[in-house]
Amino acid sequence: MVFCGINPGRVSDAARAHFANPRNDFWRLLHAAGFTSRLYEPADQFELLTEGIGATNAAARTTPGSGDLRKSDFDRARIERVACDLRPAWIAFVGKEAYRGLFGERPELGVQARTLGETRLFV
């Protein structure tokens, strides 16, 4: 599974790690939901690979907030390459805005009808 956030905020950029803002519950919820065998910290992000989990962003540009992103910041081709090259069973979008930025449509929460090859999508 690959978790896809919107873009790196300033705290994540400074830490060079996904979901690094202390107010972000991603790491705690990932463990609480049973996806990981232990509670990881942002600095441990590459260790997630041993559990079959990856993390990425829909847009690479760091901004103060996701509302500062432009349509051109979202890199659909890169996410499609992730699906094609790595072939995860799922890409899970952490928030509707990451999905909407890539595909230009408002998703409902849950499993999406769209797939990327054999990779299923979840918001």
Side-chain angles (χ1 to χ4, degrees), residues 1-23:
M1 171 169 290
V2 174
F3 286 92
C4 183
I6 299 171
N7 74 311
R10 290 180 174 165
V11 174
S12 291
D13 184 54
R16 299 177 93 57
H18 293 285
F19 308 106
N21 191 316
R23 294 184 313 244

Side-chain angles (χ1 to χ4, degrees), residues 62-75:
T62 300
T63 60
S66 61
D68 298 306
L69 290 168
R70 296 182 289 268
K71 185 176 179 178
S72 62
D73 289 321
F74 290 91
D75 192 348

Side-chain angles (χ1 to χ4, degrees), residues 51-119:
E51 303 219 30
I53 299 170
T56 192
N57 288 305
R61 186 166 69 92
T62 300
T63 60
S66 61
D68 298 306
L69 290 168
R70 296 182 289 268
K71 185 176 179 178
S72 62
D73 289 321
F74 290 91
D75 192 348
R76 181 173 169 174
R78 188 178 62 76
I79 297 301
E80 289 173 344
R81 282 192 308 276
V82 166
C84 180
D85 295 348
L86 301 178
R87 299 177 56 205
W90 292 91
I91 294 177
F93 293 90
V94 183
K96 291 181 176 184
E97 292 305 309
Y99 184 95
R100 187 173 82 153
L102 290 170
F103 301 109
E105 59 192 40
R106 291 184 184 271
E108 294 295 322
L109 294 177
V111 177
Q112 303 301 301
R114 174 191 305 274
T115 62
L116 296 177
E118 295 181 21
T119 299

